[in-house]
Amino acid sequence: MRPALPEDAPALATVHRQCFFEAWDENVLAYLVGLPSSLAFLEERDEAVVGFILCRLVTRESEVLTCAVHPAARRGGAGWRLIAKSLEEIRRLEGEQVFLEVAEDAAAARALYERAAFRVVGRRRRYYLRPSGERVDALVMRRTL
């Protein structure tokens, strides 16, 4: 695991496309990773990015903007390691709480976040678009550090 850099954006975009219907492109990811308020980490296997997390920290509040693990690498602990590293860094930088949004129907992601002590604090109705055209609610989750 290492910090993600703007020049990693093409590889990050490739993973993001494998994970999300409304994926972010490499320009958006390069911009976000390069912001001074961003915290980004990636995990590589055999020199290929298998997952990454992108957060931002403003004053004492942080938000997980996205967390993506390539489907072929799931259930191997990468998601947990990425979350743990991010929480460790946010805590080191004196962040006090972390927010994220997760699709209500994303059972594995929800279980990961619940295991990391995130709790549901809100809902955004019809937030995520599915390939079928269906819209799914986002659950807003928070963890206090």
Side-chain angles (χ1 to χ4, degrees):
M1 184 172 310
R2 67 172 174 82
L5 305 169
E7 51 266 28
D8 295 313
L12 303 181
T14 297
V15 172
H16 212 255
R17 277 192 302 277
Q18 293 295 315
C19 298
F20 300 104
F21 176 64
E22 295 180 291
W24 297 346
D25 68 28
E26 62 186 78
N27 294 324
V28 169
L29 288 163
Y31 172 76
L32 291 171
V33 169
L35 290 173
S37 61
S38 289
L39 303 169
F41 299 97
L42 61 79
E43 183 159 307
E44 295 173 303
R45 197 166 298 139
D46 299 322
E47 299 183 29
V49 175
V50 296
F52 72 97
I53 190 165
L54 174 58
C55 307
R56 71 176 167 194
L57 177 64
V58 178
T59 62
R60 302 224 185 275
E61 191 171 289
S62 183
E63 179 182 12
V64 175
L65 298 174
T66 193
C67 182
V69 175
H70 192 284
R74 290 183 184 156
R75 305 208 49 87
W80 178 256
R81 288 187 295 275
L82 290 163
I83 290 287
K85 178 66 174 172
S86 296
L87 293 175
E88 174 187 307
E89 185 66 8
I90 291 165
R91 189 178 295 112
R92 187 185 73 73
L93 294 170
E94 300 181 355
E96 294 176 354
Q97 52 186 339
V98 183
F99 290 88
L100 60 82
E101 294 158 348
V102 62
E104 184 173 40
D105 64 351
R110 286 179 57 192
L112 171 68
Y113 298 137
E114 288 169 0
R115 181 176 160 218
F118 283 86
R119 299 295 173 248
V120 174
V121 295
R123 174 182 300 268
R124 297 183 195 273
R125 301 256 179 231
R126 301 173 42 84
Y127 189 77
Y128 293 107
L129 178 65
R130 296 294 184 237
S132 66
E134 175 188 11
R135 291 202 127 343
V136 177
D137 290 357
L139 299 177
V140 179
M141 301 182 84
R142 178 182 67 208
R143 176 186 164 153
T144 301
L145 298 177

